[in-house]
Amino acid sequence: MPDFTMTTDADGVATITWDVVQKSMNVMSTEAFGLVSTLVDQALTDPAVKGIILTSAKKDFAGGMDLNVIAQMKLGGAQAVFDGVMQIHAMLRKIERAGMDPKSLKGGKPIVAALPGTALGIGLELPLACHRIIAADNPKAKIGLPEIMVGIFPGAGGTTRLTRKLGAMAAAPYLLEGKLCSPREAKAAGLIDEVVAPEDLLARAKEWVLSATEADLVKPWDTKGYKMPGGAPYHPAGFMTFVGASAMINAKTQGVYPAAKALLAAVYEGALVPFDVALKIEARHFTGVLMNPSSSAMIRSLFINKEALDKGANRPAAPDQSVKKLGVIGAGMMGAGIAYVAANAGIEVVLIDNTQDAADRGRAHSEGILDKGIKRGKVTADKKAEVLARITATTDYAALKGADLIVEAVFEDPKVKADVTHKVEAVVGTDCIYATNTSTLPITGLAAASIRPEQFIGIHFFSPVDKMNLVEIIRGKKTGDVAVAKALDFVRQIRKTPIVVNDARFFYANRCIIPYINEGIRMVAEGVEPALIENAAKLVGMPLGPLQLVDETSIDLGVKIAKATKAAMGADYPDEAVDKVLFWMADQGRLGRKSKSGFYAYDDKGERLGLWEGLAPKYPLDKLQPSLTDVQHRLLFAQVLEAVRALEEGVLTDIREGDVGAILGWGFAPWSGGPFSWLDMIGAARAVEICRGLTAQFGPRFHAPALLREMAEKAETFYGRFGGEKAAA
Ligand code: NAD
């Protein structure tokens, strides 16, 4: 079956239906574009056809462009991308003009988009070229242009059409932030024209086609005297918008995301010229963005590889291991969050703590999240009752009977954890998989307390559990394949992204974050201006500077981890200089945001005011401050070298997991596509050269790992060597 089919009824209304076989959601491929173009041609030239309805046979309209196609398009180089995009423009323009005479604007046939559900990316750009957009009143549907989230921007006319339809200011949230909305919200915002009951969708579309006048088919921008809503750039109001937008984009992106800048340029320049020229300008900027290594790295990590991991790319072969009954031990911050996400995904949960009070508090955490959802109109009272009914809060381990997965989230103490393992294993069935949420204790060591170590695994969530999308699954030495499959199936049920790593100190994410924080603190001890440290981090795309990050995660936790690491490493421990600052801060009672005092000062409500002035007397600023680039290199290499070592040591077995995990786990500069993508971007040889300089100045922690040196010598890239790509995309 082709992706698009057309039928024409007795009243002369042609319906073009989108239905990509073997996919639950329509996505646009190059061939499909050609096909829909041919069908539109047929309908426009067929005298028996009065008008066209464009719709979908699925519950949704479309999820967007197949981003693999974009990756393919790039292989032909910039000219091929530009030509391909211009062809798409020509086809959409054909729909928009619908056979009318370009001068008199008469003689066109009405084309309406009828959206049964979600319409994203090209799934909205195509309707935007139609003469009317009618959507079914489906509150679950999402409508919008999310391209910016994967490092590109709407390049099939969406940027130019939406700006001309709504004005630059009103279009900004949809274009610049990728804001999605329900059909009703989309109607209120002017993205679409009409919302009708789902069962009336096609009838209403047909009614509109048959009653549309010639004037209904002419887009405002094709009429004489069209003025952009809110004003074009040289209009006084437009001027304010564009100056503000430029500042806003730089503040939000720190200038590291090429797509946002290019989008604004396309909007600004496009607003000064006629529509068809604006489309050409959009195509040029879009081509520029597609050819930028940052965009391809973002698409690769945040879309293609994330999706592959979500689908269980590294799942061992085993029958379906979906979780039916989950036991969560420890109803503290993490346990309560895990109970919520599981219950929300339809899993029955038994939540256990030492006292009934503590267990109830854990359950109340879910209630709090659901209540917030109700306030925002995202959750119904029924849904709340349903989710809460799935969580049993108790102190009684016997309630775990029949559980097929346990996640332990008690205190970070091997003795307490071992005791819990014994108690659980005494009541659960022999098939039950046991997972620990430990963040620092090696899984193999904890598994020693288990009578079934092959069923013992690490499932490491990040805080706050309901917001953080990464889950790190850790294989202990004896962990079996079924346990890994179980963990992966569980993570898929709760709709998070998994990475599977082998057991080693701090696993993967924490192993890379800790050196980042430590490098920041080390610089404070050296007399580097703290504002320089924090800004250098942000200007290279890290969401939080290292000092803000340690304030958020808490300084006493840092002290605890430092002490435990030192005890384990003995004489090899490398972070004495860091500890001096960290321990001194803890001694001052400055424990981070939770104590409303840390490297930053806070007001009574816990709002951050600015860097704490008390640091300067203790750690006077060096007269000679390092350059911004030097600080950035220290902060980035502290992380990426750990990622390379993790790969070298076999903790990471898949660089895709290393990149996706870094962005989702600790926000590693998303524009780069992750540590391995970034190293590919600068090249192994340059990376080794920078390491040499850093090592000479700051010590052996920056020594380039053997793997990186070897790759530099052989002129290899990570994605070439480990990801099967010919060259870094
Ligand atoms: P927490 O102190 O908030 O919660 C621990 C809970 O376990 C408490 O409610 C406590 O009463 C309960 N508990 C202790 N002993 C118990 C026992 N024998 N039986 C039943 N319940 C018991 O701690 P948390 O922050 O939720 O951390 C829990 C685990 O998750 C730790 O292993 C921690 O390392 C790990 N973790 C924490 C984070 C984080 O950001 N806090 C992130 C990832 C992993």
Side-chain angles (χ1 to χ4, degrees):
M1 267 267 287
D3 288 3
F4 287 92
T5 48
M6 182 164 74
T7 55
T8 304
D9 69 10
D11 298 314
V13 177
T15 302
I16 298 179
T17 306
W18 197 351
D19 191 3
V20 182
V21 282
Q22 287 176 344
K23 285 221 159 125
S24 56
M25 178 73 95
N26 290 326
V27 287
M28 186 68 91
S29 66
T30 320
E31 300 73 37
F33 231 109
L35 179 59
V36 68
S37 177
T38 310
L39 294 178
V40 168
D41 280 338
Q42 273 173 27
L44 290 179
T45 49
D46 182 349
V49 172
K50 295 202 181 86
I52 306 169
I53 300 173
L54 192 58
T55 190
S56 150
K58 300 194 191 293
K59 66 179 178 27
D60 292 309
F61 185 66
M65 197 73 173
D66 182 346
L67 288 180
N68 289 300
V69 172
I70 293 185
Q72 282 297 314
M73 258 163 81
K74 278 194 44 189
L75 297 178
Q79 187 66 47
V81 172
F82 179 77
D83 292 344
V85 175
M86 285 308 289
Q87 266 176 19
I88 294 176
H89 281 322
M91 137 74 185
L92 293 177
R93 197 69 176 125
K94 177 172 68 189
I95 290 184
E96 195 157 52
R97 299 296 237 175
M100 69 181 72
D101 177 80
K103 287 236 165 73
S104 70
L105 305 178
K106 291 193 186 311
K109 292 183 183 179
I111 305 183
V112 57
L115 315 179
T118 290
L120 300 175
I122 188 76
L124 179 61
E125 291 181 292
L126 179 57
L128 280 170
C130 297
H131 306 121
R132 194 165 185 85
I133 309 176
I134 306 178
D137 190 6
N138 168 354
K140 285 204 175 138
K142 287 193 162 60
I143 293 184
L145 300 165
E147 284 86 343
I148 199 83
M149 309 302 285
V150 288
I152 55 176
F153 69 83
T159 296
T160 302
R161 285 197 175 84
L162 204 65
T163 316
R164 273 169 157 74
K165 194 169 163 129
L166 305 182
M169 183 75 114
Y174 305 101
L175 296 174
L176 278 172
E177 294 165 25
K179 181 180 168 186
L180 306 182
C181 44
S182 70
R184 284 185 193 205
E185 289 162 344
K187 159 87 175 75
L191 264 74
I192 63 171
D193 305 301
E194 231 181 286
V195 180
V196 298
E199 60 277 16
D200 298 338
L201 181 66
L202 290 181
R204 172 63 196 132
K206 181 172 171 178
E207 187 190 352
W208 187 83
V209 165
L210 293 175
S211 64
T213 64
E214 286 198 310
D216 288 337
L217 314 191
V218 181
K219 290 290 173 69
W221 44 90
D222 283 328
T223 57
K224 263 216 179 90
Y226 163 77
K227 287 213 163 49
M228 204 163 116
Y234 291 147
H235 182 276
F239 175 78
M240 297 304 287
T241 304
F242 281 96
V243 170
S246 178
M248 188 189 88
I249 286 183
N250 272 307
K252 279 203 171 177
T253 65
Q254 311 289 348
V256 288
Y257 293 89
K261 268 192 192 172
L263 165 67
L264 189 62
V267 170
Y268 179 93
E269 294 162 20
L272 299 170
V273 294
F275 187 77
D276 287 301
V277 185
L279 286 179
K280 201 166 177 179
I281 288 173
E282 185 192 293
R284 279 186 177 215
H285 284 295
F286 186 64
T287 305
V289 163
L290 279 197
M291 296 312 291
N292 189 302
S294 158
S295 307
S296 20
M298 278 180 82
I299 291 176
R300 184 174 61 197
S301 291
L302 290 173
F303 182 79
I304 299 172
N305 291 344
K306 177 182 174 298
E307 198 174 85
L309 298 180
D310 288 347
K311 286 187 178 156
N314 293 322
R315 185 186 186 279
D320 178 28
Q321 296 292 320
S322 297
V323 178
K324 290 179 192 71
K325 179 170 171 180
L326 173 74
V328 179
I329 323 296
M333 187 164 92
M334 298 305 289
I338 296 164
Y340 166 72
V341 293
N344 198 40
I347 301 170
E348 187 193 338
V349 180
V350 174
L351 179 59
I352 292 192
D353 207 297
N354 277 330
T355 63
Q356 187 62 41
D357 243 21
D360 288 341
R361 266 200 309 277
R363 188 172 179 274
H365 173 74
S366 290
E367 201 165 353
I369 298 178
L370 291 160
D371 281 339
K372 264 191 212 150
I374 291 181
K375 256 195 207 146
R376 281 201 222 110
K378 302 270 178 218
V379 176
T380 61
D382 284 354
K383 164 92 179 173
K384 174 185 162 186
E386 210 180 279
V387 174
L388 286 178
R390 289 195 197 109
I391 306 177
T392 308
T394 178
T395 57
D396 183 9
Y397 278 71
L400 295 174
K401 200 157 176 269
D404 50 325
L405 177 68
I406 302 294
V407 177
E408 166 277 302
V410 300
F411 299 139
E412 191 74 336
D413 177 335
K415 280 200 212 85
V416 179
K417 290 196 188 284
D419 180 46
V420 168
T421 307
H422 297 148
K423 278 189 187 159
V424 170
E425 288 183 346
V427 291
V428 296
T430 52
D431 286 348
C432 182
I433 302 295
Y434 187 103
T436 171
N437 181 46
T438 179
S439 33
T440 55
L441 302 168
I443 303 302
T444 309
L446 294 177
S450 169
I451 48 171
R452 292 185 283 269
E454 70 287 355
Q455 284 165 227
F456 196 104
I457 193 164
I459 302 186
H460 180 213
F461 284 86
F462 294 79
S463 173
V465 178
D466 59 312
K467 300 233 165 66
M468 296 295 287
N469 278 328
L470 186 74
V471 178
E472 209 171 7
I473 294 171
I474 305 113
R475 259 181 193 272
K477 279 228 164 62
K478 295 190 177 160
T479 304
D481 279 355
V482 174
V484 176
K486 184 94 192 170
L488 282 167
D489 290 358
F490 174 53
V491 173
R492 195 178 54 214
Q493 277 175 287
I494 57 174
R495 289 185 287 279
K496 294 196 183 284
T497 298
I499 61 172
V500 182
V501 301
N502 285 316
D503 199 13
R505 175 167 294 284
F506 301 133
F507 319 130
Y508 174 59
N510 283 342
R511 173 184 184 145
C512 300
I513 308 167
I514 294 169
Y516 169 64
I517 292 177
N518 284 353
E519 201 59 34
I521 298 177
R522 206 185 291 269
M523 284 192 252
V524 170
E526 290 168 13
V528 177
E529 168 72 77
L532 173 58
I533 303 169
E534 295 292 89
N535 286 330
K538 288 196 196 145
L539 285 170
V540 81
M542 294 298 296
L544 303 183
L547 305 179
Q548 190 185 344
L549 186 55
V550 69
D551 265 12
E552 296 292 332
T553 52
S554 95
I555 287 171
D556 49 330
L557 178 67
V559 168
K560 232 168 134 182
I561 292 175
K563 284 185 177 161
T565 313
K566 189 172 174 182
M569 293 183 74
D572 292 340
Y573 184 68
D575 291 325
E576 300 283 358
V578 176
D579 291 357
K580 272 196 191 131
V581 183
L582 207 58
F583 292 10
W584 177 73
M585 290 289 285
D587 288 346
Q588 310 291 304
R590 301 191 72 88
L591 305 182
R593 184 198 276 279
K594 68 177 182 188
S595 71
K596 298 188 184 110
S597 61
F599 285 100
Y600 282 81
Y602 299 81
D603 69 11
D604 296 345
K605 290 192 194 104
E607 287 290 316
R608 226 159 14 92
L609 297 173
L611 282 152
W612 178 45
E613 287 175 352
L615 271 179
K618 176 79 181 168
Y619 296 103
L621 297 185
D622 207 5
K623 274 210 190 81
L624 202 64
Q625 289 292 313
S627 72
L628 182 73
T629 309
D630 281 350
V631 176
Q632 288 177 330
H633 278 165
R634 286 180 70 172
L635 293 174
L636 283 179
F637 275 85
Q639 302 170 73
V640 301
L641 293 184
E642 253 346 292
V644 175
R645 287 182 199 115
L647 178 68
E648 201 170 39
E649 292 165 17
V651 173
L652 271 180
T653 57
D654 183 338
I655 53 168
R656 296 178 300 176
E657 293 181 317
D659 273 352
V660 175
I663 298 176
L664 298 189
W666 75 95
F668 180 90
W671 63 267
S672 70
F676 296 104
S677 291
W678 183 65
L679 285 171
D680 278 356
M681 231 180 260
I682 63 170
R686 173 79 182 120
V688 168
E689 187 188 316
I690 296 171
C691 285
R692 230 174 258 138
L694 290 173
T695 307
Q697 241 186 316
F698 306 108
R701 67 185 179 281
F702 289 111
H703 193 58
L707 172 63
L708 193 62
R709 280 181 279 130
E710 186 193 317
M711 288 175 55
E713 271 162 31
K714 295 185 180 163
E716 285 178 331
T717 63
F718 282 96
Y719 277 86
R721 177 163 168 161
F722 299 101
E725 283 181 14
K726 286 211 186 69

